[in-house]
Amino acid sequence: TAPVADLAERRRWRAVALASTGLAAVLAIAAFGLGAGTMELTDQVADARAALAEAQGELLARNAALTLLAEPDHQTASLTAEPVAADATAMVVFRPGSDASYLMVTDLPATPAGQVYQLWFADQAGVHPLGTYHHDGDGPFVAPFGVDLGTSAAAMVTLEPEGGAQGEPGPQVVFGEF
């Protein structure tokens, strides 16, 4: 009877070991799934934070541009829409002697995939590239130049490959002389 009891005991331990192994496999799969889900949620939170930061930046730029428009010492210049953005209406508002300067555009098309809108200004020293921006095509577009346009001769927006241009400007979207 001892060998029969040992055999029953071994079978019981083998069953416990198999059940434990199965449970460990199920837990490992669940942990992997939770880890993947957590990574996806983390990516979604990061994307949402980036979108929120971009929206906050746009709102701040709009508020600053509107505030500048209300100041008595501001200047404005109209920019002419090129065929790339034929329906756009654009202007630059700035305060000479300061870096308070903004581009304001309505009816600007959405930025094409793989490209950016880039701001430029021209003065006696040449044409200078500034910031790059994406626009979803929805609502007005406001972007800071962030330079003193008081002695500038012109401003423009071009369409550039992602990352922007440093040398020659690409196709003009809007352009205007001061």
Side-chain angles (χ1 to χ4, degrees), residues 59-80:
L59 184 59
L60 288 173
R62 286 180 187 178
N63 287 342
L66 291 174
T67 299
L68 183 57
L69 275 171
E71 294 179 10
D73 59 345
H74 80 273
Q75 292 186 11
T76 61
S78 293
L79 305 181
T80 302

Side-chain angles (χ1 to χ4, degrees), residues 4-146:
V4 172
D6 286 344
L7 184 60
E9 186 68 24
R10 277 189 255 159
R11 284 185 182 160
R12 190 174 27 245
W13 280 109
R14 187 175 298 154
V16 168
L18 285 174
S20 297
T21 302
L23 180 60
V26 167
L27 290 175
I29 291 169
F32 179 77
L34 288 173
T38 300
M39 288 177 60
E40 183 178 336
L41 287 174
T42 300
D43 290 345
Q44 289 175 352
V45 168
D47 290 347
R49 284 184 177 157
L52 177 60
E54 185 177 329
Q56 287 173 328
E58 289 174 12
L59 184 59
L60 288 173
R62 286 180 187 178
N63 287 342
L66 291 174
T67 299
L68 183 57
L69 275 171
E71 294 179 10
D73 59 345
H74 80 273
Q75 292 186 11
T76 61
S78 293
L79 305 181
T80 302
E82 300 292 337
V84 172
D87 294 331
T89 302
M91 68 181 279
V92 173
V93 59
F94 61 98
R95 182 185 320 112
S98 77
D99 65 356
S101 51
Y102 298 90
L103 169 73
M104 302 172 76
V105 186
T106 59
D107 298 320
L108 183 67
T111 312
Q115 295 186 301
V116 293
Y117 287 119
Q118 185 164 4
L119 279 68
W120 301 75
F121 76 100
D123 59 14
Q124 292 178 347
V127 178
H128 310 282
L130 296 171
T132 61
Y133 301 91
H134 290 98
H135 181 57
D136 62 8
D138 191 28
F141 174 72
V142 177
F145 277 89

